[in-house]
Every structure is written in structure tokens, then in C-alpha cells.
């Protein structure tokens, strides 16, 4: 088995790159470059209604403007492409066929409303209520009321994430989310499946991304194991919040790279402020401006703090 470092940045082209994504891209790039490894950019464009025309090109242009480069990606190609999820349907179909053959997935035609009605205390999370397993034991010959989705069978027990930054995180996926959807009723692969199939196919050794995805990681570990793959290491970065504690991604303005650039911030200033916010450099060093490669070496990545959130203070870049 190859132990070469392969990192990735996997944006969804649903708008302009914001500070949180830029921080994730910067650290993922630094980790790959410091390890002398390969850095992959993959475009996660399966959720069609949320796609924004031109966003992919603008996000890639923002990454280049910041001073980041990549070895494999949609514009460059590479041995484990294609690098847009919309072009990888065959890989997801093969994964579904494999899971079906081994009885690890089953069809389910429950609607969201039916599931919510069955569960007395709906889970308030983004994924909706825990699925109570209604279709788990259905006969395969049953008639379906509508096109079914495919759910992954989850056994009870705790799944452990040994996160490089946040430490040990445990989740009983069965108790929290239940059997989860891997192929949606409209035949589109769910994020959880697509990300795992792609990380395996692209031989990603370390996933560096925002802490908002930590909750999905146990599901992804279960899928990676089921697909007989190796589980990558994980490093979840703090979520970047505005100075007043609101989510940057949900704010009206001033949080995208394009807006900051238009306001006159230079790339070294922005990289310096991001690095200071994450604790990689001091506020003074950050203020002086930095190019991404200047963050390499000197054990700077070891200074990354394991925190769930940091706050962006324009002009200062001070981590709370
Ligand atoms: N495409 C996801 C996003 O933009 C990130 C997926 C991942 O890093 O695993 O939020």
C-alpha cells in the first residue's frame, strides 16, 4: 500500500469562495506541500438546484489569486479523474452495485414527512430525524409507492474519529442518524457516498476540512470500511465565524474572497490574516502579509489549535 500523502480541497460551486473555505484550502494545501505530497481539487457539483453558474471558475480563480496551486483537478486532469462529481456517475453506480451485492444497502420509499411523523422527537440537525428502519426488513419483491432511495445498513455501536486537531470524537451512528441514504430517490448519489467513493478512488490520505463536517465523519468512516477501503486521517479546522459570532457563510456581504479583494485587500494580507486567525503566525507576522509558501516549515502546522470555532476580525485576524 502506498503511504504517499494525498490531500484535497473539495468545494461545492454554490457561490463564491468564503473565508471559511479559503482557510480550509490554505491549510489543506500547506499540509500537502509540507509533506511533499499531492494536492487535489475536486468539484462537488451533484446538488444541481444549489449550483451557481460560473462559480467553479470563480472559486478556482480565487484559489490561484491566494497563491495556491494543485497537481490534479478539473482544469488539469490527472490519473484519478474526472475531478467533477457530475462526471463520476459510473464510480457511484459501481459502489452501489458492490454494496447491493453484499446486502449492505436496501431500498426505501418513505417520504420525509412519513419519517418525521414516525419519530416522536425529531432530531433538529440538518439531516432531519433519525430514520427508524421502516423499510429495513421489506421483501425485495415488494411494490414501491414511489422511486425508492437506497439506505446503508448501520449496525449499532460507537464509531470513533481520531481527529488530528480535535482529538477523539465518538458517535453511535445507528442511534443518531440510523440507516442513512446513499442514493437519493431522484437517483443522485448522496454527499456521504460521493465523498467517500471519491476520496477512496483518489487515494486521499488526509481529509482537511471545516469542523461543520465532523458530524458526517463517522458515517463516512463506516462507508469507507464497507467499501473495503482505507479510512483517511481527518483534521477538522475551526469554523470561521464573524466577529459577532454569526456564520460567515450565511452573512450578507464582506465574507467572500471576491468581496475582500474588491475592498482592496491583497492576497498576502488575506493569507496573513487567515494564518493569524488560525494561530499559525502571530498577529504582527500576519499583518505584515504572507505568501502561502512562507507558512511551510518551521513546525507552523503543529500550532493549529483544536478548536470548534474562530472569529474573523477584519484587519486583525485574531483568533479568539
Ligand atoms: N463539498 C463540501 C463543501 O463544500 C466539502 C466536502 C468535504 O470536504 O468533505 O462543504
Amino acid at each position: 500500500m502506498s503511504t504517499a500523502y494525498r490531500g484535497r480541497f473539495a468545494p461545492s460551486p454554490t457561490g463564491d469562495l468564503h473565508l471559511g473555505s479559503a482557510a480550509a484550502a490554505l491549510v489543506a494545501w500547506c499540509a500537502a506541500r509540507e509533506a511533499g505530497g499531492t494536492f487535489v481539487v475536486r468539484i462537488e457539483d451533484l446538488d444541481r438546484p444549489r449550483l451557481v453558474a460560473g462559480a467553479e471558475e470563480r472559486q478556482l480563480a480565487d484559489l490561484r489569486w491566494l497563491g495556491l496551486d494543485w497537481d490534479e483537478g478539473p482544469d488539469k486532469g490527472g490519473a484519478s479523474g474526472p475531478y467533477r462529481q457530475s462526471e463520476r456517475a459510473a464510480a457511484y453506480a459501481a459502489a452501489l452495485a458492490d454494496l447491493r451485492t453484499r446486502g449492505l444497502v436496501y431500498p426505501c420509499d418513505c417520504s420525509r414527512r412519513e419519517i418525521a411523523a414516525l419519530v416522536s422527537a425529531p432530531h433538529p440537525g440538518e439531516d432531519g430525524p433519525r430514520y427508524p428502519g421502516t423499510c429495513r426488513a421489506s421483501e425485495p419483491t415488494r411494490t414501491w409507492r414511489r422511486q425508492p432511495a437506497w439506505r446503508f445498513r448501520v449496525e449499532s455501536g460507537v464509531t470513533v474519529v481520531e481527529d488530528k486537531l480535535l482529538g477523539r470524537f465518538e458517535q453511535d451512528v445507528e442511534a443518531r442518524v440510523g440507516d442513512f441514504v446513499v442514493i437519493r430517490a431522484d437517483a443522485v448519489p448522496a454527499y456521504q457516498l460521493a465523498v467517500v467513493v471519491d476520496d477512496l478512488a483518489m487515494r486521499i490520505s488526509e481529509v482537511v476540512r471545516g469542523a461543520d463536517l465532523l458530524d458526517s465523519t463517522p458515517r463516512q468512516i463506516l462507508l469507507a470500511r464497507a467499501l473495503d477501503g482505507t479510512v483517511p486521517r481527518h483534521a477538522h479546522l475551526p469554523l470561521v465565524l464573524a466577529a459577532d459570532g454569526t456564520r460567515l457563510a450565511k452573512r450578507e456581504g464582506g465574507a467572500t474572497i471576491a468581496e475582500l479583494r474588491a475592498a482592496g485587500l491583497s492576497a498576502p494580507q488575506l493569507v496573513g490574516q487567515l494564518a493569524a486567525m488560525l494561530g499559525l503566525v502571530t498577529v504582527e507576522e500576519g499583518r505584515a502579509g504572507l505568501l502561502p509558501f512562507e507558512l511551510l516549515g518551521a513546525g507552523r502546522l503543529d500550532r493549529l489549535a483544536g478548536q470548534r470555532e474562530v472569529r474573523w476580525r477584519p484587519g486583525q485576524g485574531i483568533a479568539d
Side-chain angles (χ1 to χ4, degrees):
M1 191 188 77
S2 158
T3 52
Y5 187 105
R6 287 177 62 86
R8 47 75 153 185
F9 177 59
S12 304
T14 53
D16 281 339
L17 212 62
H18 60 82
L19 282 164
S21 324
L26 178 64
V27 176
W29 179 91
C30 285
R33 291 291 173 250
E34 200 155 279
T38 302
F39 189 52
V40 177
V41 169
R42 177 174 77 231
I43 302 295
E44 305 214 319
D45 58 350
L46 287 178
D47 199 2
R48 297 200 67 161
R50 291 186 59 229
L51 300 184
V52 171
E56 176 190 320
E57 291 74 21
R58 290 205 303 278
Q59 290 184 339
L60 296 181
D62 284 343
L63 294 176
R64 285 190 207 98
W65 178 78
L66 282 168
L68 305 181
D69 64 346
W70 47 97
D71 309 298
E72 299 173 23
D75 54 335
K76 292 203 131 173
S80 37
Y83 295 90
R84 276 185 206 97
Q85 289 191 326
S86 57
E87 295 165 13
R88 299 183 55 78
Y92 311 130
L96 176 67
D98 176 22
L99 294 169
R100 276 182 75 170
T101 309
R102 291 184 291 133
L104 297 175
V105 288
Y106 62 87
C108 162
D109 65 354
C110 296
S111 69
R112 272 173 201 266
R113 188 182 300 174
E114 285 164 351
I115 297 168
L118 279 170
V119 182
S120 52
H123 186 269
E126 286 181 14
D127 298 316
R130 173 184 175 276
Y131 179 66
T134 317
C135 294
R136 196 178 229 252
S138 292
E139 291 298 323
T141 48
R142 191 190 124 174
T143 1
W144 302 100
R145 295 167 299 158
R146 53 179 82 84
Q147 171 76 19
W150 287 89
R151 289 184 182 269
F152 181 70
R153 273 176 211 279
V154 181
E155 302 309 327
S156 64
V158 163
T159 302
V160 177
V161 184
E162 293 288 358
D163 190 86
K164 267 178 94 172
L165 296 171
L166 295 174
R168 193 180 170 90
F169 172 73
E170 296 183 357
Q171 188 184 83
D172 183 334
V173 179
E174 201 276 324
R176 187 178 156 83
V177 281
D179 297 340
F180 57 89
V181 171
V182 287
I183 302 285
R184 303 182 337 197
D186 59 4
V188 175
Y191 157 69
Q192 308 293 354
L193 180 74
V195 85
V196 171
V197 167
D198 291 346
D199 283 342
L200 289 174
M202 297 176 185
R203 302 185 323 283
I204 299 303
S205 61
E206 187 163 308
V207 170
V208 178
R209 61 184 177 192
D212 50 333
L213 290 167
L214 181 62
D215 200 60
S216 289
T217 308
R219 269 171 277 177
Q220 294 172 11
I221 289 176
L222 293 180
L223 278 178
R225 286 191 193 136
L227 290 165
D228 290 332
T230 8
V231 178
R233 288 187 302 277
H234 290 94
H236 286 91
L237 294 166
L239 203 61
V240 182
L241 301 180
D244 63 3
T246 52
R247 294 258 323 240
L248 281 178
K250 304 221 160 40
R251 278 168 78 88
E252 284 300 306
T256 68
I257 305 310
E259 286 163 339
L260 292 163
R261 181 168 53 183
L265 211 65
S266 71
Q269 280 171 328
L270 184 51
V271 169
Q273 288 188 27
L274 285 172
M277 179 183 69
L278 294 165
L280 297 175
V281 298
T282 65
V283 173
E284 282 67 38
E285 286 170 324
R287 254 192 218 128
L290 286 164
L291 296 168
F293 77 84
E294 293 178 287
L295 294 169
L296 303 180
R300 285 220 173 82
L301 287 184
D302 298 336
R303 293 189 212 159
L304 271 174
Q307 327 176 62
R308 288 293 187 116
E309 328 176 324
V310 288
R311 296 198 183 191
W312 171 257
R313 299 184 189 287
Q316 286 187 319
I318 299 175
D320 262 356

